[in-house]
């Protein structure tokens, strides 16, 4: 049940963003809210477990990705999962935000390594460009078509 809760939490956060709640999660899984809290004592522990699972899965997907577009799509999804409105809405604690930021940094390091051999300076510049584009897409709630167009342009630029 714990795995089902985590998987559905990831899907719900990605899909619903601000509307994601333990109530809707329980409803979607056809379980009681009490069952969710049996596995996760509070929202913060659910959120921490959700992000641990998400980043473990994302790193595995990065290792399996075969082309730059797939790598940037994975990284965009990670930026979407930690967009500012998620943390602002749920008022999750600073340590959880720090955890996700550190895991996101680790994910970027693996993405960059898989993109090719770049100097430290070039890698930092590439991250600024990629993060800036992805944060803007998240902030304006761009459609997947718009995100794909930006990703395609970034791939050509790399």
């Amino acid at each position: 049940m714990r795995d089902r809760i985590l998987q559905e939490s990831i899907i719900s956060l990605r899909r619903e963003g601000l509307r994601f709640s333990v109530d809707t999660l329980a409803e979607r899984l056809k379980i009681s809210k009490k069952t969710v809290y049996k596995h996760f004592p509070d929202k913060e522990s659910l959120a921490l477990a959700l992000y641990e699972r998400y980043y473990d899965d994302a790193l595995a997907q990065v290792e399996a990705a075969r082309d730059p577009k797939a790598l940037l799509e994975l990284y965009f999804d990670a930026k979407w999962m930690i967009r500012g409105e998620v943390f602002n809405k749920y008022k999750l604690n600073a340590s959880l935000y720090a955890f996700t930021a550190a895991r996101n940094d680790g994910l970027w390091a693996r993405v960059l390594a898989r993109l090719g051999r770049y100097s430290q300076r070039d890698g930092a510049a590439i991250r600024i460009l990629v993060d800036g584009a992805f944060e803007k897409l998240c902030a304006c709630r761009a459609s997947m078509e718009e995100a794909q167009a930006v990703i395609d342009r970034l791939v050509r630029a790399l």
Side-chain angles (χ1 to χ4, degrees):
M1 180 55 64
R2 180 180 167 85
D3 285 341
R4 285 185 56 218
I5 292 170
L6 288 174
Q7 281 306 113
E8 187 60 37
S9 295
I10 292 168
I11 292 165
S12 294
L13 184 60
R14 183 181 290 124
R15 186 183 317 148
E16 299 170 34
L18 297 175
R19 295 183 308 272
F20 171 62
S21 71
V22 174
D23 290 320
T24 58
L25 173 66
E27 183 179 310
R28 202 172 278 122
L29 289 169
K30 298 181 183 356
I31 61 175
S32 70
K33 194 172 162 179
K34 186 177 180 178
T35 302
V36 174
Y37 286 117
K38 176 182 168 190
H39 294 279
F40 303 96
D42 53 40
K43 288 180 185 178
E44 284 76 17
S45 53
L46 171 60
L48 180 60
L50 174 161
Y51 280 110
E52 284 176 338
R53 168 70 58 85
Y54 175 80
Y55 278 105
D56 289 347
D57 292 348
L59 283 169
Q61 290 174 33
V62 163
E63 295 307 320
R66 298 287 175 231
D67 61 72
K69 183 176 181 177
L71 291 166
L72 290 179
E73 287 170 347
L74 288 164
Y75 188 66
F76 174 71
D77 188 62
K79 293 301 280 185
W80 181 256
M81 293 291 287
I82 63 166
R83 63 198 184 280
E85 68 185 33
V86 170
F87 287 94
N88 292 338
K89 163 69 175 169
Y90 294 109
K91 299 181 180 131
L92 298 174
N93 62 41
S95 63
L96 180 62
Y97 183 77
F99 171 81
T100 61
R103 291 296 303 263
N104 201 66
D105 289 345
L107 182 66
W108 171 253
R110 290 304 308 141
V111 166
L112 185 63
R114 302 270 297 149
L115 285 173
R117 295 183 186 259
Y118 291 101
S119 69
Q120 186 173 7
R121 185 176 174 166
D122 286 346
I126 291 167
R127 184 167 189 189
I128 289 168
L129 294 171
V130 170
D131 277 355
F134 289 175
E135 287 166 10
K136 183 73 170 177
L137 287 168
C138 290
C140 71
R141 295 188 181 115
S143 69
M144 277 312 295
E145 293 80 26
E146 292 166 323
Q148 287 297 324
V150 170
I151 290 169
D152 289 341
R153 285 178 179 84
L154 287 168
V155 168
R156 286 195 300 271
L158 294 174

